[in-house]
Amino acid sequence: MNRRVYLAAVGTAASAGLAGCSSVLNVFDDDDGPCAGDECDIGMSRNEFLPESYTASVGETVVWKNTSGAVHTVTALEDQIPDDADYFASGGYEDEETAIDAWHDHGGGGINTRETYEHTFEVPGTYAYICEPHVGAGMIGEIVVE
């Protein structure tokens, strides 16, 4: 086999095979973050919310999107949300204990790759939340509602 022809073919195949990879890598390198194009407000990498802190207006619906290959949750910390605020968690659970137990019992509240979760914030204040399966790795976020 002609070495130059072989190398040209391998180079072309490698370039074609990697062509789609740059867009996947750029999801997190892009200045607009993983939610460019208004598909979501907060993305999720392997172990972090992107951005970690998000500012919303009263009445705004915030959309999280799993932009990674891991399953995640959005689980509010009851003692770190405003007193008059509604509790929120992916899976629709009404309190933190139920949301966490559901995850550990059967993966309840899991957000799979490319799926979204949304919540409308009606009360101003700071809301802390976690990804239950990755909280040990520091996957913690906050919403500041003004």
Side-chain angles (χ1 to χ4, degrees), residues 22-36:
S22 63
S23 64
V24 172
L25 295 175
N26 285 339
V27 164
F28 299 109
D29 294 335
D30 190 71
D31 289 339
D32 295 328
C35 293

Side-chain angles (χ1 to χ4, degrees), residues 49-75:
F49 293 104
L50 302 168
E52 184 178 309
S53 182
Y54 180 81
T55 302
S57 300
V58 171
E60 182 177 337
T61 299
V62 175
V63 179
W64 289 260
K65 184 174 184 179
N66 185 346
T67 51
S68 79
V71 177
H72 295 291
T73 68
V74 172
T75 306

Side-chain angles (χ1 to χ4, degrees), residues 15 18 20 23-24 34 36 40 44 46 50-51 88-89 94 99 106 120 123 128 130 141:
S15 295
L18 294 175
S23 64
V24 172
C40 59
M44 301 173 195
R46 180 69 177 101
L50 302 168
F88 65 97
E94 297 197 15
H106 59 276
T120 302
V123 177
I130 61 170

Side-chain angles (χ1 to χ4, degrees), residues 3 15 21-22 31 34 51 71 81 98 105 113-114 122 134 143:
R3 182 171 183 247
S15 295
C21 291
S22 63
D31 289 339
V71 177
I81 65 174
T98 303
D105 289 347
T113 301
R114 303 294 175 226
E122 300 292 350
H134 301 109
I143 306 292

Side-chain angles (χ1 to χ4, degrees), residues 99-113:
I100 290 172
D101 287 348
W103 169 256
H104 290 284
D105 289 347
H106 59 276
I111 304 168
N112 292 309
T113 301

